[in-house]
Amino acid sequence: DIQMTQSPASLSASLEEIVTITCKASQGIDDYLSWYQQKPGKSPQLLIYDATSLADGVPSRFSGSRSGTQYSLKISRPQVDDSGIYYCLQSYSTPPTFGAGTKLELK
Amino acid sequence: EVKLVESGGGLVQPGRSLKLSCAASGFSFNDYWMGWVRQAPGKGLEWIGEINQDSSTINYTPSLKDKFTISRDNAQNTLYLQMSKLGSEDTAIYYCARAGWSFAYWGQGTLVTVSS
């Protein structure tokens, strides 16, 4: 199975910061990488697919990028509503595997 | 509007079986792969498996392959997850999702609690 190492596990950020969450794949995944946001008591919501494409209705302050086998989710000037847990998912090979999650708190 | 609604969760004794359903609407169900993902209390997301449009290909995460069975009824726009030999480690919220290279649509989830 492909391992997705997600970091950090948690972070607290201010509304003026740029937040970056990373996922490093244990092997190449050809940009079959998506990002999800999950709020307490809710199902995950797709933010980014194919590593860099913004899902419908997602604010443009969210963006995705890749450097080698490391994928990043960036939130520019986050809003209080962006608090939650973020997960990456690789779907390059079966079984698809999620990162362990990053809990984001906005202060 | 795409809608996925899971049902069938609840309290079940260890060793017993349970079948979950996911009713789909708002899209052409028989055009899409469908999948199941679960989340244990306070834990991360775990992919369970997926099924293609005509049920000819079904993939599972290896650790669950002998316990869980995914099926679908395209006439009823419904996805199923049959779970057997349940243990406490199977206590989780179970989500169905429209599968593919990413999961664009998720249900609200159904809670399965395995306890005596």
Side-chain angles (χ1 to χ4, degrees):
Chain A
D1 298 2
I2 295 177
Q3 306 302 314
M4 301 301 294
T5 303
Q6 186 170 345
S7 62
S10 65
L11 75 156
S12 179
S14 71
L15 300 180
E16 300 303 311
E17 286 184 48
I18 295 177
V19 171
T20 301
I21 300 168
T22 64
C23 269
K24 185 169 178 58
S26 58
Q27 64 184 76
I29 58 171
D30 204 18
D31 288 354
Y32 288 100
L33 188 285
S34 48
W35 290 97
Y36 301 83
Q37 176 195 64
Q38 187 178 32
K39 298 188 177 184
K42 301 294 186 181
S43 54
Q45 300 295 310
L46 176 67
L47 298 174
I48 301 285
Y49 63 96
D50 296 347
T52 60
S53 297
L54 199 64
D56 289 346
V58 176
S60 58
R61 63 180 179 271
F62 293 90
S63 63
S65 63
R66 174 181 67 85
S67 175
T69 59
Q70 180 163 291
Y71 292 82
S72 298
L73 173 70
K74 186 170 77 173
I75 312 174
S76 302
R77 300 180 68 88
Q79 305 297 302
V80 172
D81 188 53
D82 297 335
S83 296
I85 302 177
Y86 291 80
Y87 296 94
C88 64
L89 168 70
Q90 72 78 21
S91 53
Y92 175 76
S93 70
T94 300
T97 44
F98 289 93
T102 296
K103 185 174 183 178
L104 173 63
E105 175 192 271
L106 279 305
K107 56 187 179 185
Chain B
E1 178 196 6
V2 172
K3 206 168 182 186
L4 299 170
V5 180
E6 301 93 338
S7 61
L11 178 63
V12 60
Q13 293 180 326
R16 303 298 291 265
S17 299
L18 194 66
K19 189 172 186 177
L20 306 182
S21 300
C22 170
S25 61
F27 66 101
S28 184
F29 181 74
N30 56 12
D31 283 345
Y32 289 90
W33 286 71
M34 296 295 296
W36 290 96
V37 175
R38 71 179 180 178
Q39 186 170 37
K43 301 297 185 182
L45 300 167
E46 179 183 23
W47 183 86
I48 295 172
E50 63 187 359
I51 184 169
N52 75 339
Q53 292 88 335
D54 65 2
S55 305
S56 60
T57 300
I58 307 173
N59 298 314
Y60 299 94
T61 199
S63 61
L64 299 176
K65 186 179 179 185
D66 294 331
K67 288 179 51 166
F68 290 4
T69 302
I70 296 173
S71 61
R72 65 191 292 164
D73 183 341
N74 286 343
Q76 298 293 323
N77 290 343
T78 302
L79 175 72
Y80 301 101
L81 179 65
Q82 176 72 52
M83 304 183 292
S84 64
K85 305 175 214 169
L86 287 165
S88 57
E89 69 278 8
D90 299 312
T91 293
I93 297 173
Y94 286 74
Y95 297 101
C96 69
R98 198 174 84 177
W101 300 119
S102 60
F103 296 161
Y105 298 97
W106 299 65
Q108 85 289 348
T110 188
L111 176 63
V112 173
T113 302
V114 183
S115 174
S116 55

